[in-house]
Amino acid sequence: EAADIRQRMNELDKEIRALGPVNPNALEEYEELNKRHEFMHKQSSDLIEAKEDLERILSEMDEAMTKQFQSAFADIQRYFGEIFVRLFGGGKAELKMLDESDVLHTGIDILVTLPQKKRQSLAALSGGERALTVIALLFAFLRYRPSPFSVLDEIDAPLDEANVMRFGRFLQEFAEQTQFIVVTHRKGTMEVADTMYGVTVEESGVSR
């Protein structure tokens, strides 16, 4: 037993030596590091809580924007269909979400059926038909939420005379709520303007 005790004492002595010299400041250092740890732990908890709050707010915003977008989309689609029929004298137009499960990031396709024709995408239309379809969409936006003013730069250029006259009538109708500033070369559009400003170029690069 004495031999076992001596062996155990030798082992403990080696372990004590392995610890190295005693640091008299260890307690103070521990207290300081412990305070630092508690401070960092609180900061971490605050950041985690703030992150959870932000994620909750973002989720609520996404939900609210999704509902608002779906409501606006339905109204604009209805107005677009009605105005398209008036501009083209018939047919049908619709807006289609490419991914209804993610309305905040989805693309939107424009599908139209011209009078006496089959349904087709916007890209398959002629220049004049495409311009008139876009005009119908513009007026649908303005009907949903009228703008104080709108600038149109030769939007009527590809239209034939009959469609220019229809476009002019719509300008007059919507001008009750929106002031239009229209750049145009078409006489039919000029005829419906309340005020007209002519721009001429008398010398190269100088307009008047």
Side-chain angles (χ1 to χ4, degrees), residues 63-136:
E63 184 178 352
M65 287 192 298
T66 296
K67 289 180 180 178
Q68 186 176 359
F69 180 87
Q70 288 173 326
S71 175
F73 185 83
D75 288 342
I76 291 170
Q77 173 155 253
R78 186 173 72 256
Y79 298 146
F80 177 48
E82 294 170 358
I83 293 170
F84 180 90
V85 170
R86 287 179 59 190
L87 281 173
F88 279 90
K92 181 181 179 182
E94 58 183 315
L95 303 173
K96 181 180 179 182
M97 284 188 275
L98 300 180
D99 183 4
E100 294 186 7
S101 64
D102 187 10
V103 301
L104 297 182
H105 300 95
T106 183
I108 295 175
D109 201 5
I110 300 175
L111 299 173
V112 299
T113 304
L114 300 179
Q116 287 81 49
K117 292 186 179 181
K118 64 180 182 178
R119 191 173 76 163
Q120 51 197 327
S121 67
L122 189 64
L125 302 178
S126 68
E129 293 166 343
R130 195 157 47 235
L132 202 59
T133 301
V134 172
I135 289 170

Side-chain angles (χ1 to χ4, degrees), residues 3 5-15 17:
I5 292 172
R6 280 195 297 273
Q7 182 180 352
R8 180 59 180 154
M9 289 176 64
N10 289 334
E11 290 173 354
L12 290 173
D13 185 61
K14 287 180 181 178
E15 290 179 6
R17 291 173 187 273

Side-chain angles (χ1 to χ4, degrees), residues 15-39:
E15 290 179 6
I16 291 171
R17 291 173 187 273
L19 291 173
V22 175
N23 180 5
N25 298 321
L27 188 59
E28 292 180 6
E29 291 176 359
Y30 167 77
E31 293 292 341
E32 184 179 341
L33 286 172
N34 191 47
K35 288 180 181 178
R36 179 67 176 166
H37 175 266
E38 290 177 355
F39 173 76

Side-chain angles (χ1 to χ4, degrees), residues 167-181:
F167 169 64
R169 286 195 293 270
F170 267 84
L171 279 180
Q172 287 180 310
E173 177 182 329
F174 280 77
E176 294 179 5
Q177 293 182 298
T178 299
Q179 179 183 15
F180 290 98
I181 300 171

